[in-house]
Amino acid sequence: MEGFFAALVVSFGVIFVAELGDKSQLMALTFATRFKPIPVLIGITVATAVVHLASVAIGAGLGAVLPTEWISLVAGVAFLGFGAWTLRGDKLTEEEKRKAERTNKTALVAVSVAFFLAELGDKTMLATITLATKYGWFGTWLGSTIGMVAADALAILVGRMLGRRLPEKTIRYGAAILFAISGLWLILEAVNELT
């Protein structure tokens, strides 16, 4: 059970931080202005659970065939890349914004489909793959799904309370710093194992 809890806590923390200021968090805000929060959260949860299940399957497969030292090294470099990606920031394109604002489908279907498509190849999907190579699939899947839903729920709540005025720059810098720290930690761990 120790491995499960480690995977749960680490993946929750990493994905929660990765989601802050992410494009899908901005989508959650947009959907929350059009639909009630509960169907939006259910749609986010469904899409996230499916995408992250595929992600952990890929990650667990890679983890089974690659040496752990090299996985830690690659994961550390990937996390540094995620930090840089986070600094760059995400913005909704006009087309994505129009789709989120003008959908005629029910909230649950619209949000599920939009989030599923937005998450394919996104940094949270790649981070989940990376975490699953090191920590195993179930705890990573559960923690990453809960972490993403919690971050999006926070965006909806804060966005409604503050009238969509999130301190985006502060959030982006904080998330980038946490990714960099995690990346450096993994690289140091890998170097110690390789020497």
Side-chain angles (χ1 to χ4, degrees), residues 12-21 86 123 147 151 171 174-176 178-179:
F12 173 87
V14 167
I15 299 304
F16 182 85
V17 167
E19 187 64 8
L20 297 176
T86 301
K123 71 181 171 209
I171 290 171
L178 289 173
F179 265 123

Side-chain angles (χ1 to χ4, degrees), residues 2-19 48 51-64 66-68 70-80 82 119 122-148 178-179 181-183 185-187 189:
E2 183 180 306
F4 167 78
F5 288 117
L8 181 72
V9 170
V10 169
S11 61
F12 173 87
V14 167
I15 299 304
F16 182 85
V17 167
E19 187 64 8
T48 301
V51 170
H52 287 195
L53 188 59
S55 300
V56 296
I58 293 167
L62 289 174
L66 297 175
T68 58
W70 289 101
I71 289 173
S72 290
L73 186 62
V74 170
V77 171
F79 274 50
L80 291 176
F82 297 151
E119 285 304 303
D122 192 52
K123 71 181 171 209
T124 50
M125 180 183 183
L126 300 174
T128 302
I129 291 170
T130 304
L131 289 166
T133 63
K134 185 157 177 72
Y135 292 102
W137 79 272
F138 186 67
T140 300
W141 172 73
L142 189 59
S144 66
T145 300
I146 294 169
M148 186 163 166
L178 289 173
F179 265 123
I181 290 169
S182 297
W185 181 288
L186 287 168
I187 289 170
E189 185 179 275

Side-chain angles (χ1 to χ4, degrees), residues 26-38:
L26 299 174
M27 287 176 61
L29 278 167
T30 304
F31 276 121
T33 63
R34 177 148 168 78
F35 301 117
K36 293 180 180 177
I38 298 300

Side-chain angles (χ1 to χ4, degrees), residues 77-195:
V77 171
F79 274 50
L80 291 176
F82 297 151
W85 188 346
T86 301
L87 273 178
R88 181 185 61 111
D90 273 339
K91 300 257 188 263
L92 287 178
T93 64
E94 286 304 314
E95 181 181 340
E96 290 169 329
K97 194 179 274 188
R98 276 194 307 276
K99 282 182 184 176
E101 290 172 347
R102 294 198 177 111
T103 184
N104 293 326
K105 299 176 184 176
T106 65
L108 185 62
V109 172
V111 173
S112 295
V113 170
F115 268 79
F116 178 80
L117 295 174
E119 285 304 303
L120 293 177
D122 192 52
K123 71 181 171 209
T124 50
M125 180 183 183
L126 300 174
T128 302
I129 291 170
T130 304
L131 289 166
T133 63
K134 185 157 177 72
Y135 292 102
W137 79 272
F138 186 67
T140 300
W141 172 73
L142 189 59
S144 66
T145 300
I146 294 169
M148 186 163 166
V149 172
D152 290 337
L154 179 65
I156 291 167
L157 178 66
V158 171
R160 286 177 163 248
M161 288 172 53
L162 299 178
R164 295 193 219 171
R165 292 190 187 132
L166 295 172
E168 186 178 330
K169 201 178 226 182
T170 303
I171 290 171
R172 192 168 63 230
Y173 287 145
I177 288 168
L178 289 173
F179 265 123
I181 290 169
S182 297
L184 291 172
W185 181 288
L186 287 168
I187 289 170
L188 289 174
E189 185 179 275
V191 168
N192 284 338
E193 289 177 10
L194 288 170
T195 55

